[in-house]
């Protein structure tokens, strides 16, 4: 008591010290409050969960890895959904991995991890220097790749899971998300031509998909990512040569993919939460495509779905048969008068033709490692006026599909570079921009870039294009 009085007197004498102590107290109070409110918010949410009716899950030795960085609200939203739809008996473990040091995210992740809901938190705090060599805008791609490798190494090599579902904090998930992965998991072990199972459909807009066939699944050569499951043995292989940046495009390269495909749904089971994603997501480049992706209207119990038809041999035989029976149409004939009970096919012989098709029907128009998005042996399925249409690559040949040839023999990097030229053309060679010879190495055009203040680096960054 005596000591206390002494301290008080001392404090009263020293105004600065008093303010300082008051500040400390206020901050400590705020910190404590935010800790408590974090925990309360989500335990409140999980209390009166509406469990989906689907209860048959088979996800042994599987964890969900949530990739997070600096978006607290996004992580909270994503976790709320995972906790709501996660199988309850036993609780599938969730591992939150944070890249960087945003404190609010660390605090939120820590509070989840201390909740005894089978959630753990791993923290990638120290980034290697590789990203610092490049532009600030490009640096994130290096950080992201480094974080993925670090986190996947930990969950597979240290924690020892045999399959992992990788998600990202800005994704919304469907209520049958776990049912989908539980039903397809065994395919990863039974068919080594399957690289991953993904919940994402790149052409998942409502108008492009058959929403009445929400249980329909496909194979795709084009790695979709965005909510995907892989095995430890695939990770062991990928980890050894993981790239410094652009890891998703790297996974699409023929020497990495090795002819393997991913499973993807007709109706996407993940969607970008555009409110929470912020502008960090794909530079807003694919914003209109991303925001058109729709989750299913009603959940599917995938344990009742025959997923064995996705195994390569069976799938390829039935795809060949469907294509044989489809009616060939030119782009001009693909119009409002299609019969929804029939299937159609249309051939794209060049990247330019594919772009025209993509633009007309609002498909994703980019080409990576020679492949359009969702392509399987060059075939891009979509819905047009209610009817199923298959866009067929000019190099497609039924024998190729049926004789076990790798789909990589159909794709060529030349298409990627031709497609880049078409992007270049669309961006710069327009009546309101440059109307001369359209080529990044054209002296007149280089001079125009300089005059307009683009700088020399812009035409240089397009030097790999092939004019077509
Ligand atoms: C959850 O929080 C809301 C307000 O955010 C409150 O009205 C409700 O009573 C809480 N429910 C439980 C079960 O604590
Ligand atoms: C947590 O996950 C592990 C698998 O890693 C499982 O064995 C355990 O039963 C789960 N705990 C609960 C409470 O469901
Ligand atoms: C629409 O396509 C059908 C064939 O599918 C064709 O007969 C018809 O002429 C086309 N109509 C237009 C307006 O292009
Ligand atoms: C399809 O490919 C096979 C070999 O893979 C070849 O023998 C055949 O001539 C090709 N067919 C066509 C129509 O190009």
């Amino acid at each position: 008591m005596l000591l206390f009085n002494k301290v008080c007197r001392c404090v009263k004498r020293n105004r600065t010290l008093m303010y300082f102590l008051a500040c400390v107290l206020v901050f400590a109070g705020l910190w404590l409050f935010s800790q408590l409110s974090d925990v309360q918010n989500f335990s409140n949410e999980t209390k009166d969960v509406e469990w989906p009716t689907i209860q048959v899950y088979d996800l042994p030795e599987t964890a969900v890895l949530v990739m997070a960085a600096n978006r607290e609200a996004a992580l909270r939203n994503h976790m709320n959904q995972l906790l709501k739809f996660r199988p309850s008996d036993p609780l599938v473990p969730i591992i939150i991995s944070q890249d960087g040091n945003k404190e609010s995210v660390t605090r939120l992740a820590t509070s989840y991890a201390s909740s005894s809901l089978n959630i753990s938190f791993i923290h990638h705090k120290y980034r290697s220097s590789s990203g610092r060599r490049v532009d600030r805008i490009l640096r994130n791609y290096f950080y992201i790749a480094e974080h993925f490798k670090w986190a996947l190494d930990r969950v597979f090599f240290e924690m020892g899971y045999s399959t992992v579902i990788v998600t990202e904090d800005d994704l919304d998930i469907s209520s049958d998300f776990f049912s989908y992965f539980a039903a397809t998991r065994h395919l990863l072990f039974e068919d080594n031509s399957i690289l991953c199972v993904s919940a994402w459909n790149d052409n998942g807009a409502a108008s492009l998909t058959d929403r009445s066939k929400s249980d329909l699944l496909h194979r795709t050569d084009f790695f979709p990512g965005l909510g995907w499951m892989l095995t430890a043995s695939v990770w062991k292989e990928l980890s050894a040569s993981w790239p410094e940046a652009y890891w998703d495009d790297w996974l699409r390269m023929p020497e990495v993919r090795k002819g393997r495909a991913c499973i993807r749904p007709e109706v996407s089971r993940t969607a970008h939460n555009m409110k929470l994603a912020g502008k960090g997501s794909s530079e807003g480049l694919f914003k209109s495509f991303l925001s058109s992706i729709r989750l299913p209207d009603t959940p599917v119990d995938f344990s009742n779905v025959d997923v064995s038809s996705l195994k390569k041999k069976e799938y390829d035989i039935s795809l060949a048969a469907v294509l044989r029976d489809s009616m060939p149409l030119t782009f001009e004939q693909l119009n409002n008068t299609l019969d929804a009970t029939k299937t159609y096919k249309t051939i794209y012989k060049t990247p330019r033709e594919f772009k025209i098709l993509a633009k007309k029907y609002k498909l994703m128009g980019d080409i990576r490692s020679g492949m359009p998005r969702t392509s399987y042996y060059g075939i891009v399925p979509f819905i047009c006026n209610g009817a199923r249409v298959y866009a067929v690559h000019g190099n497609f040949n039924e024998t190729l599909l049926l004789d076990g040839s790798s789909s990589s023999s159909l794709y060529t990097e030349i298409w990627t570079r031709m497609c880049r030229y078409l992007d270049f053309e669309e961006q710069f060679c327009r009546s309101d921009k440059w109307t001369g010879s359209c080529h990044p190495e054209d002296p007149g055009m280089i001079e125009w870039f300089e005059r307009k203040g683009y700088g020399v680096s812009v035409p240089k960054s397009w030097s790999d294009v092939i004019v077509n």
Side-chain angles (χ1 to χ4, degrees):
M1 204 60 204
L2 198 69
L3 183 71
F4 180 73
N5 279 342
K6 250 187 189 162
V7 170
C8 279
R9 237 175 287 139
C10 166
V11 167
K12 269 181 204 149
R13 270 202 304 270
N14 193 333
R15 230 163 230 262
T16 327
L17 184 65
M18 202 166 75
Y19 284 133
F20 174 73
L21 281 177
C23 276
V24 168
L25 271 175
V26 167
F27 273 111
L30 281 177
W31 179 81
L32 198 68
F33 177 75
S34 65
Q35 292 281 305
L36 287 175
S37 60
D38 274 346
V39 173
Q40 247 149 28
N41 270 353
F42 79 83
S43 54
N44 177 330
E45 291 265 353
T46 53
K47 247 171 215 158
D48 42 10
V49 157
E50 276 175 55
W51 291 100
T53 50
I54 305 147
Q55 289 294 354
V56 186
Y57 294 108
D58 188 19
L59 280 165
E61 297 173 50
T62 302
V64 178
L65 173 64
V66 177
M67 305 301 285
N70 51 21
R71 298 176 291 201
E72 182 200 355
L75 177 62
R76 190 189 300 277
N77 170 68
H78 184 68
M79 285 300 292
N80 278 341
Q81 297 187 24
L82 284 176
L83 295 177
K84 190 164 160 191
F85 301 132
R86 179 172 61 159
S88 54
D89 186 23
L91 288 168
V92 173
I94 297 175
I95 297 145
I96 302 170
S97 184
Q98 183 193 357
D99 184 40
N101 292 301
K102 183 77 177 262
E103 259 179 60
S104 56
V105 173
T106 308
R107 214 183 303 125
L108 181 61
T110 307
S111 69
Y112 279 120
S114 59
S115 66
S116 72
L117 291 167
N118 242 0
I119 304 173
S120 40
F121 171 42
I122 57 177
H123 197 170
H124 183 238
K125 283 186 198 169
Y126 306 104
R127 292 162 171 165
S128 78
S129 56
S130 60
R132 283 183 220 128
R133 283 187 278 109
V134 298
D135 254 36
R136 205 158 43 83
I137 304 164
L138 300 183
R139 213 171 276 168
N140 266 342
Y141 294 102
F142 287 75
Y143 292 155
I144 290 167
E146 186 176 320
H147 182 209
F148 267 78
K149 175 165 162 57
W150 179 86
L152 281 161
D153 276 350
R154 298 214 47 191
V155 291
F156 279 120
F157 301 154
E158 290 175 26
M159 303 179 193
Y161 291 105
S162 64
T163 40
V164 169
I165 299 166
V166 186
T167 69
E168 293 167 37
D169 59 3
D170 60 348
L171 292 177
D172 284 339
I173 64 170
S174 64
S175 60
D176 54 8
F177 179 84
F178 285 98
S179 171
Y180 170 58
F181 284 110
T184 49
R185 181 179 182 270
H186 67 98
L187 293 173
L188 293 173
F189 297 92
E190 291 165 12
D191 180 349
N192 60 15
S193 75
I194 300 177
L195 183 67
C196 84
V197 175
S198 167
W200 176 256
N201 177 1
D202 269 309
N203 290 319
S207 59
L208 290 174
T209 50
D210 185 349
R211 296 183 66 80
S212 70
K213 289 217 175 63
S214 184
D215 58 349
L216 180 63
L217 306 177
H218 306 265
R219 293 173 69 103
T220 173
D221 295 324
F222 194 105
F223 173 72
L226 300 173
W228 56 292
M229 176 168 61
L230 76 168
T231 63
S233 70
V234 164
W235 178 249
K236 198 171 165 199
E237 171 197 327
L238 299 179
S239 175
S241 49
W242 194 252
E244 278 192 318
Y246 311 109
W247 66 271
D248 45 356
D249 279 336
W250 172 81
L251 252 171
R252 293 163 188 147
M253 288 162 66
E255 58 272 32
V256 178
R257 187 172 73 86
K258 299 200 174 95
R260 289 169 292 189
C262 290
I263 304 301
R264 58 123 185 139
E266 168 79 4
V267 178
S268 202
R269 259 58 187 186
T270 48
H272 269 279
N273 188 309
M274 301 309 286
K275 271 207 301 264
L276 297 170
K279 58 183 188 301
S281 170
S282 299
E283 303 165 336
L285 193 64
F286 297 125
K287 210 156 187 164
S288 70
F289 287 102
L290 291 180
S291 58
S292 68
I293 308 290
R294 288 279 160 70
L295 297 178
D297 306 315
T298 49
V300 167
D301 179 351
F302 279 97
S303 66
N304 296 328
V305 175
D306 173 25
V307 297
S308 65
S309 60
L310 290 157
K311 288 187 183 174
K312 187 167 191 331
K313 200 157 183 192
E314 200 177 323
Y315 185 87
D316 291 356
I317 289 170
S318 67
L319 178 62
V322 168
L323 285 171
R324 229 177 288 136
D325 292 343
S326 299
M327 185 186 287
L329 292 181
T330 62
F331 290 2
E332 292 72 37
Q333 291 169 319
L334 276 185
N335 58 28
N336 296 329
T337 59
L338 298 186
D339 176 352
T341 64
K342 295 205 171 85
T343 59
Y344 299 87
K345 61 189 167 193
T346 191
I347 293 183
Y348 59 97
K349 288 193 233 48
T350 60
R352 192 178 286 276
E353 283 189 0
F354 183 74
K355 278 262 192 227
I356 291 168
L357 187 75
K359 200 157 233 166
K360 187 163 172 192
Y361 297 104
K362 296 197 165 63
L363 301 165
M364 291 279 267
D366 57 331
I367 288 177
R368 316 275 167 116
S369 288
M371 307 179 280
R373 288 178 188 262
T374 73
S375 167
Y376 183 66
Y377 281 80
I379 292 151
V380 176
F382 63 100
I383 296 293
C384 175
N385 298 320
R388 172 68 63 190
V389 177
Y390 297 93
V392 180
H393 194 296
N395 293 352
F396 177 78
N397 163 340
E398 189 187 288
T399 317
L400 197 75
L401 181 64
L402 294 178
D403 75 359
S405 300
S406 164
S407 58
S408 298
S409 57
L410 194 134
Y411 305 119
T412 141
E413 192 53 25
I414 291 170
W415 273 48
T416 312
R417 295 169 59 193
M418 288 168 82
C419 183
R420 290 256 303 151
Y421 175 76
L422 301 176
D423 291 338
F424 176 81
E425 191 183 57
E426 195 177 311
Q427 206 171 327
F428 301 110
C429 306
R430 308 192 316 223
S431 55
D432 60 335
K433 289 202 166 169
W434 169 254
T435 51
S437 160
C438 183
H439 194 303
E441 279 162 12
D442 178 83
M445 196 170 184
I446 291 175
E447 195 196 313
W448 174 82
F449 272 119
E450 265 177 49
R451 195 156 19 97
K452 292 284 172 181
Y454 286 102
V456 284
S457 68
V458 171
K460 275 217 181 91
S461 70
W462 293 91
S463 61
D464 60 327
V465 303
I466 294 177
V467 179
N468 65 98

mmCIF file with all atom_site columns, all heavy atoms in Angstrom, residues 61-75:
data_model
loop_
_atom_site.group_PDB
_atom_site.id
_atom_site.type_symbol
_atom_site.label_atom_id
_atom_site.label_alt_id
_atom_site.label_comp_id
_atom_site.label_asym_id
_atom_site.label_entity_id
_atom_site.label_seq_id
_atom_site.pdbx_PDB_ins_code
_atom_site.Cartn_x
_atom_site.Cartn_y
_atom_site.Cartn_z
_atom_site.occupancy
_atom_site.B_iso_or_equiv
_atom_site.pdbx_formal_charge
_atom_site.auth_seq_id
_atom_site.auth_comp_id
_atom_site.auth_asym_id
_atom_site.auth_atom_id
_atom_site.pdbx_PDB_model_num
ATOM 1   N N   . GLU A 1 61 ? -6.540  -38.921 -43.621 1.00 0.00 ? 61 GLU A N   1
ATOM 2   C CA  . GLU A 1 61 ? -5.187  -38.378 -43.809 1.00 0.00 ? 61 GLU A CA  1
ATOM 3   C C   . GLU A 1 61 ? -5.176  -37.159 -44.724 1.00 0.00 ? 61 GLU A C   1
ATOM 4   O O   . GLU A 1 61 ? -4.267  -36.967 -45.524 1.00 0.00 ? 61 GLU A O   1
ATOM 5   C CB  . GLU A 1 61 ? -4.260  -39.452 -44.388 1.00 0.00 ? 61 GLU A CB  1
ATOM 6   C CG  . GLU A 1 61 ? -4.072  -40.642 -43.460 1.00 0.00 ? 61 GLU A CG  1
ATOM 7   C CD  . GLU A 1 61 ? -3.292  -41.744 -44.170 1.00 0.00 ? 61 GLU A CD  1
ATOM 8   O OE1 . GLU A 1 61 ? -2.238  -41.429 -44.745 1.00 0.00 ? 61 GLU A OE1 1
ATOM 9   O OE2 . GLU A 1 61 ? -3.768  -42.889 -44.159 1.00 0.00 ? 61 GLU A OE2 1
ATOM 10  N N   . THR A 1 62 ? -6.238  -36.361 -44.623 1.00 0.00 ? 62 THR A N   1
ATOM 11  C CA  . THR A 1 62 ? -6.377  -35.192 -45.490 1.00 0.00 ? 62 THR A CA  1
ATOM 12  C C   . THR A 1 62 ? -6.495  -33.933 -44.639 1.00 0.00 ? 62 THR A C   1
ATOM 13  O O   . THR A 1 62 ? -7.182  -33.948 -43.619 1.00 0.00 ? 62 THR A O   1
ATOM 14  C CB  . THR A 1 62 ? -7.641  -35.325 -46.368 1.00 0.00 ? 62 THR A CB  1
ATOM 15  O OG1 . THR A 1 62 ? -7.550  -36.524 -47.125 1.00 0.00 ? 62 THR A OG1 1
ATOM 16  C CG2 . THR A 1 62 ? -7.796  -34.139 -47.304 1.00 0.00 ? 62 THR A CG2 1
ATOM 17  N N   . ALA A 1 63 ? -5.809  -32.876 -45.067 1.00 0.00 ? 63 ALA A N   1
ATOM 18  C CA  . ALA A 1 63 ? -5.946  -31.592 -44.384 1.00 0.00 ? 63 ALA A CA  1
ATOM 19  C C   . ALA A 1 63 ? -6.342  -30.536 -45.403 1.00 0.00 ? 63 ALA A C   1
ATOM 20  O O   . ALA A 1 63 ? -6.105  -30.691 -46.605 1.00 0.00 ? 63 ALA A O   1
ATOM 21  C CB  . ALA A 1 63 ? -4.626  -31.197 -43.728 1.00 0.00 ? 63 ALA A CB  1
ATOM 22  N N   . VAL A 1 64 ? -6.958  -29.476 -44.904 1.00 0.00 ? 64 VAL A N   1
ATOM 23  C CA  . VAL A 1 64 ? -7.227  -28.307 -45.741 1.00 0.00 ? 64 VAL A CA  1
ATOM 24  C C   . VAL A 1 64 ? -6.139  -27.286 -45.425 1.00 0.00 ? 64 VAL A C   1
ATOM 25  O O   . VAL A 1 64 ? -5.909  -26.965 -44.254 1.00 0.00 ? 64 VAL A O   1
ATOM 26  C CB  . VAL A 1 64 ? -8.608  -27.692 -45.436 1.00 0.00 ? 64 VAL A CB  1
ATOM 27  C CG1 . VAL A 1 64 ? -8.842  -26.459 -46.286 1.00 0.00 ? 64 VAL A CG1 1
ATOM 28  C CG2 . VAL A 1 64 ? -9.705  -28.718 -45.659 1.00 0.00 ? 64 VAL A CG2 1
ATOM 29  N N   . LEU A 1 65 ? -5.466  -26.819 -46.444 1.00 0.00 ? 65 LEU A N   1
ATOM 30  C CA  . LEU A 1 65 ? -4.425  -25.802 -46.259 1.00 0.00 ? 65 LEU A CA  1
ATOM 31  C C   . LEU A 1 65 ? -4.965  -24.473 -46.781 1.00 0.00 ? 65 LEU A C   1
ATOM 32  O O   . LEU A 1 65 ? -5.239  -24.341 -47.978 1.00 0.00 ? 65 LEU A O   1
ATOM 33  C CB  . LEU A 1 65 ? -3.152  -26.209 -47.013 1.00 0.00 ? 65 LEU A CB  1
ATOM 34  C CG  . LEU A 1 65 ? -2.032  -25.178 -47.067 1.00 0.00 ? 65 LEU A CG  1
ATOM 35  C CD1 . LEU A 1 65 ? -1.489  -24.878 -45.672 1.00 0.00 ? 65 LEU A CD1 1
ATOM 36  C CD2 . LEU A 1 65 ? -0.901  -25.656 -47.982 1.00 0.00 ? 65 LEU A CD2 1
ATOM 37  N N   . VAL A 1 66 ? -5.124  -23.506 -45.893 1.00 0.00 ? 66 VAL A N   1
ATOM 38  C CA  . VAL A 1 66 ? -5.668  -22.200 -46.274 1.00 0.00 ? 66 VAL A CA  1
ATOM 39  C C   . VAL A 1 66 ? -4.523  -21.209 -46.467 1.00 0.00 ? 66 VAL A C   1
ATOM 40  O O   . VAL A 1 66 ? -3.806  -20.897 -45.517 1.00 0.00 ? 66 VAL A O   1
ATOM 41  C CB  . VAL A 1 66 ? -6.631  -21.672 -45.185 1.00 0.00 ? 66 VAL A CB  1
ATOM 42  C CG1 . VAL A 1 66 ? -7.136  -20.280 -45.538 1.00 0.00 ? 66 VAL A CG1 1
ATOM 43  C CG2 . VAL A 1 66 ? -7.796  -22.633 -44.986 1.00 0.00 ? 66 VAL A CG2 1
ATOM 44  N N   . MET A 1 67 ? -4.357  -20.720 -47.675 1.00 0.00 ? 67 MET A N   1
ATOM 45  C CA  . MET A 1 67 ? -3.287  -19.768 -47.958 1.00 0.00 ? 67 MET A CA  1
ATOM 46  C C   . MET A 1 67 ? -3.804  -18.346 -47.681 1.00 0.00 ? 67 MET A C   1
ATOM 47  O O   . MET A 1 67 ? -4.791  -17.911 -48.279 1.00 0.00 ? 67 MET A O   1
ATOM 48  C CB  . MET A 1 67 ? -2.851  -19.872 -49.422 1.00 0.00 ? 67 MET A CB  1
ATOM 49  C CG  . MET A 1 67 ? -2.441  -21.268 -49.841 1.00 0.00 ? 67 MET A CG  1
ATOM 50  S SD  . MET A 1 67 ? -1.064  -21.931 -48.866 1.00 0.00 ? 67 MET A SD  1
ATOM 51  C CE  . MET A 1 67 ? 0.308   -21.009 -49.537 1.00 0.00 ? 67 MET A CE  1
ATOM 52  N N   . ALA A 1 68 ? -3.134  -17.666 -46.754 1.00 0.00 ? 68 ALA A N   1
ATOM 53  C CA  . ALA A 1 68 ? -3.568  -16.317 -46.394 1.00 0.00 ? 68 ALA A CA  1
ATOM 54  C C   . ALA A 1 68 ? -2.349  -15.400 -46.409 1.00 0.00 ? 68 ALA A C   1
ATOM 55  O O   . ALA A 1 68 ? -1.215  -15.871 -46.315 1.00 0.00 ? 68 ALA A O   1
ATOM 56  C CB  . ALA A 1 68 ? -4.205  -16.325 -45.011 1.00 0.00 ? 68 ALA A CB  1
ATOM 57  N N   . ALA A 1 69 ? -2.583  -14.103 -46.491 1.00 0.00 ? 69 ALA A N   1
ATOM 58  C CA  . ALA A 1 69 ? -1.467  -13.162 -46.411 1.00 0.00 ? 69 ALA A CA  1
ATOM 59  C C   . ALA A 1 69 ? -1.872  -11.953 -45.577 1.00 0.00 ? 69 ALA A C   1
ATOM 60  O O   . ALA A 1 69 ? -1.597  -11.912 -44.386 1.00 0.00 ? 69 ALA A O   1
ATOM 61  C CB  . ALA A 1 69 ? -1.002  -12.758 -47.803 1.00 0.00 ? 69 ALA A CB  1
ATOM 62  N N   . ASN A 1 70 ? -2.557  -10.998 -46.186 1.00 0.00 ? 70 ASN A N   1
ATOM 63  C CA  . ASN A 1 70 ? -2.819  -9.782  -45.413 1.00 0.00 ? 70 ASN A CA  1
ATOM 64  C C   . ASN A 1 70 ? -4.274  -9.333  -45.416 1.00 0.00 ? 70 ASN A C   1
ATOM 65  O O   . ASN A 1 70 ? -4.582  -8.192  -45.124 1.00 0.00 ? 70 ASN A O   1
ATOM 66  C CB  . ASN A 1 70 ? -1.923  -8.652  -45.938 1.00 0.00 ? 70 ASN A CB  1
ATOM 67  C CG  . ASN A 1 70 ? -2.031  -8.510  -47.433 1.00 0.00 ? 70 ASN A CG  1
ATOM 68  O OD1 . ASN A 1 70 ? -3.016  -8.951  -48.025 1.00 0.00 ? 70 ASN A OD1 1
ATOM 69  N ND2 . ASN A 1 70 ? -1.036  -7.920  -48.060 1.00 0.00 ? 70 ASN A ND2 1
ATOM 70  N N   . ARG A 1 71 ? -5.188  -10.265 -45.746 1.00 0.00 ? 71 ARG A N   1
ATOM 71  C CA  . ARG A 1 71 ? -6.588  -9.863  -45.797 1.00 0.00 ? 71 ARG A CA  1
ATOM 72  C C   . ARG A 1 71 ? -7.368  -10.522 -44.664 1.00 0.00 ? 71 ARG A C   1
ATOM 73  O O   . ARG A 1 71 ? -7.825  -11.649 -44.780 1.00 0.00 ? 71 ARG A O   1
ATOM 74  C CB  . ARG A 1 71 ? -7.177  -10.248 -47.150 1.00 0.00 ? 71 ARG A CB  1
ATOM 75  C CG  . ARG A 1 71 ? -6.494  -9.538  -48.305 1.00 0.00 ? 71 ARG A CG  1
ATOM 76  C CD  . ARG A 1 71 ? -7.002  -9.999  -49.634 1.00 0.00 ? 71 ARG A CD  1
ATOM 77  N NE  . ARG A 1 71 ? -6.619  -11.363 -49.938 1.00 0.00 ? 71 ARG A NE  1
ATOM 78  C CZ  . ARG A 1 71 ? -6.588  -11.880 -51.176 1.00 0.00 ? 71 ARG A CZ  1
ATOM 79  N NH1 . ARG A 1 71 ? -6.907  -11.123 -52.203 1.00 0.00 ? 71 ARG A NH1 1
ATOM 80  N NH2 . ARG A 1 71 ? -6.245  -13.124 -51.379 1.00 0.00 ? 71 ARG A NH2 1
ATOM 81  N N   . GLU A 1 72 ? -7.518  -9.782  -43.598 1.00 0.00 ? 72 GLU A N   1
ATOM 82  C CA  . GLU A 1 72 ? -8.169  -10.334 -42.408 1.00 0.00 ? 72 GLU A CA  1
ATOM 83  C C   . GLU A 1 72 ? -9.641  -10.683 -42.679 1.00 0.00 ? 72 GLU A C   1
ATOM 84  O O   . GLU A 1 72 ? -10.105 -11.771 -42.334 1.00 0.00 ? 72 GLU A O   1
ATOM 85  C CB  . GLU A 1 72 ? -8.074  -9.315  -41.264 1.00 0.00 ? 72 GLU A CB  1
ATOM 86  C CG  . GLU A 1 72 ? -8.665  -9.814  -39.979 1.00 0.00 ? 72 GLU A CG  1
ATOM 87  C CD  . GLU A 1 72 ? -9.006  -8.671  -39.023 1.00 0.00 ? 72 GLU A CD  1
ATOM 88  O OE1 . GLU A 1 72 ? -8.691  -7.509  -39.345 1.00 0.00 ? 72 GLU A OE1 1
ATOM 89  O OE2 . GLU A 1 72 ? -9.603  -8.949  -37.976 1.00 0.00 ? 72 GLU A OE2 1
ATOM 90  N N   . ALA A 1 73 ? -10.350 -9.748  -43.320 1.00 0.00 ? 73 ALA A N   1
ATOM 91  C CA  . ALA A 1 73 ? -11.784 -9.975  -43.558 1.00 0.00 ? 73 ALA A CA  1
ATOM 92  C C   . ALA A 1 73 ? -11.994 -11.180 -44.476 1.00 0.00 ? 73 ALA A C   1
ATOM 93  O O   . ALA A 1 73 ? -12.924 -11.965 -44.289 1.00 0.00 ? 73 ALA A O   1
ATOM 94  C CB  . ALA A 1 73 ? -12.420 -8.730  -44.160 1.00 0.00 ? 73 ALA A CB  1
ATOM 95  N N   . ALA A 1 74 ? -11.099 -11.326 -45.451 1.00 0.00 ? 74 ALA A N   1
ATOM 96  C CA  . ALA A 1 74 ? -11.219 -12.458 -46.372 1.00 0.00 ? 74 ALA A CA  1
ATOM 97  C C   . ALA A 1 74 ? -10.997 -13.767 -45.633 1.00 0.00 ? 74 ALA A C   1
ATOM 98  O O   . ALA A 1 74 ? -11.758 -14.722 -45.792 1.00 0.00 ? 74 ALA A O   1
ATOM 99  C CB  . ALA A 1 74 ? -10.207 -12.309 -47.513 1.00 0.00 ? 74 ALA A CB  1
ATOM 100 N N   . LEU A 1 75 ? -9.977  -13.804 -44.788 1.00 0.00 ? 75 LEU A N   1
ATOM 101 C CA  . LEU A 1 75 ? -9.686  -15.028 -44.037 1.00 0.00 ? 75 LEU A CA  1
ATOM 102 C C   . LEU A 1 75 ? -10.868 -15.396 -43.136 1.00 0.00 ? 75 LEU A C   1
ATOM 103 O O   . LEU A 1 75 ? -11.275 -16.552 -43.049 1.00 0.00 ? 75 LEU A O   1
ATOM 104 C CB  . LEU A 1 75 ? -8.406  -14.848 -43.207 1.00 0.00 ? 75 LEU A CB  1
ATOM 105 C CG  . LEU A 1 75 ? -8.029  -16.045 -42.327 1.00 0.00 ? 75 LEU A CG  1
ATOM 106 C CD1 . LEU A 1 75 ? -7.757  -17.289 -43.177 1.00 0.00 ? 75 LEU A CD1 1
ATOM 107 C CD2 . LEU A 1 75 ? -6.794  -15.732 -41.467 1.00 0.00 ? 75 LEU A CD2 1
#
